[in-house]
Amino acid sequence: KAIALVGSVCTGKTTVLKVVSQALQLAYDTVVRTSCVNPETFTKEEFYGPINAFDTNNKTEQDEALKKRNLFQIVLDTYQQQRQSLPVQKRNKFIQSFLIDTEKMDPYFLDGLVQFFKQSNLREREYYDDHEFLLHFARSEAAHETLIPHLPITLPNGNVVMMPSDLYFFFETENLANASPLFLSQIGLVITEA
C-alpha cells in the first residue's frame, strides 16, 4: 500500500515510479493515475479541509466552511468519477496513487495513513495469497468485488476521508529524519544512490 523512495536529489526516485507504471500498463493493461502532492504548496485548510469550521456559532458560516473539501477528497472524487465512466471490465485496472513529498509532512497525518495501510493489507490478505495480494487488480473482477471498497481515514482536523482499497501511496524523501517508528514499520523502502 505504501512505499517510501529515499535518496538524494537526482538518484532516480521519480524514474523508478515511471518505470513501474509503464511495466504495469504493459503487463496487465493497468493504468496508474498518479497525483503529486507537496504539503508545502498548500495551506492547512486546503490540505486538511476546514480546520476551524465550528469556531463560530453562525450555522450558515459553519455550513459554508464544511463545504470546502480537502485536497485528498478532491483527488479521490475525481478518481471515482473517472473510474465509474469506464466500462465495468476495465474499472479494476484503473488505480489511483499519491506521490507525496514528506520532507515537511505533518507526522500526525503520516500516522493516520498508517492505520489505512494496516487495515488494507490485512483485508487483502484475507482473500489473496501473500505472493499475489499486491497485484489484486490483475485478478478477476468477481474476486476484487469481495474486498471492502472503502476504509476511512480521520485527518487531524476531524474530517473523514474514504480511501478506496486500490489506492497506493509513494513517499519521496531525501531522508527519514521525520518518519516515526510506527510509519516505518508499515511501509516498504526503496533506497536510491548516486
Side-chain angles (χ1 to χ4, degrees):
K1 285 300 176 185
I3 294 176
L5 298 113
V6 186
S8 55
V9 177
C10 294
T11 55
K13 299 188 294 293
T14 303
T15 301
V16 167
L17 290 182
K18 289 180 180 178
V19 170
V20 170
S21 295
Q22 291 170 1
L24 288 173
Q25 186 167 6
L26 290 170
Y28 299 104
D29 193 27
T30 297
V31 176
V32 181
R33 181 183 186 274
T34 301
S35 300
C36 300
V37 178
N38 184 337
E40 293 185 59
T41 62
F42 300 94
T43 66
K44 281 192 173 183
E45 187 164 86
E46 290 170 334
F47 197 66
Y48 293 121
I51 294 175
N52 301 312
F54 296 102
D55 281 0
T56 174
N57 292 323
N58 186 303
K59 181 79 165 61
T60 302
E61 291 178 5
Q62 290 178 5
D63 290 343
E64 286 301 312
L66 291 172
K67 287 179 183 178
K68 297 177 182 176
R69 295 181 300 164
N70 62 72
L71 174 68
F72 288 90
Q73 195 63 61
I74 292 170
V75 172
L76 290 173
D77 287 349
T78 303
Y79 161 69
Q80 292 291 4
Q81 290 169 6
Q82 293 180 357
R83 188 174 183 270
Q84 290 301 316
S85 69
L86 296 172
V88 174
Q89 63 272 23
K90 290 190 176 182
R91 289 178 188 172
N92 291 337
K93 295 188 176 185
F94 185 53
I95 296 170
Q96 172 69 50
S97 70
F98 281 112
L99 175 60
I100 304 177
D101 181 346
T102 60
E103 297 296 339
K104 300 292 183 181
M105 173 66 78
D106 187 329
Y108 292 104
F109 182 76
L110 287 179
D111 287 349
L113 288 178
V114 165
Q115 300 306 314
F116 168 69
F117 305 151
K118 290 173 67 175
Q119 291 178 65
S120 295
N121 288 340
L122 288 171
R123 181 64 56 188
E124 287 181 9
R125 285 192 176 95
E126 291 179 8
Y127 297 102
Y128 302 101
D129 295 333
D130 280 347
H131 68 286
E132 293 180 321
F133 82 96
L134 283 177
L135 293 176
H136 69 76
F137 46 80
R139 305 282 292 203
S140 69
E141 182 182 348
H144 189 274
E145 291 301 318
T146 62
L147 293 174
I148 291 181
H150 296 92
L151 290 166
I153 290 293
T154 303
L155 298 176
N157 66 339
N159 283 1
V160 175
V161 180
M162 302 303 287
M163 300 289 195
S165 61
D166 47 1
L167 174 68
Y168 295 83
F169 286 88
F170 299 95
F171 301 90
E172 271 196 18
T173 182
E174 290 187 45
N175 63 71
L176 297 169
N178 296 327
S180 69
L182 176 64
F183 177 73
L184 290 175
S185 70
Q186 297 298 323
I187 65 169
L189 289 173
V190 175
I191 312 297
T192 60
E193 297 179 354

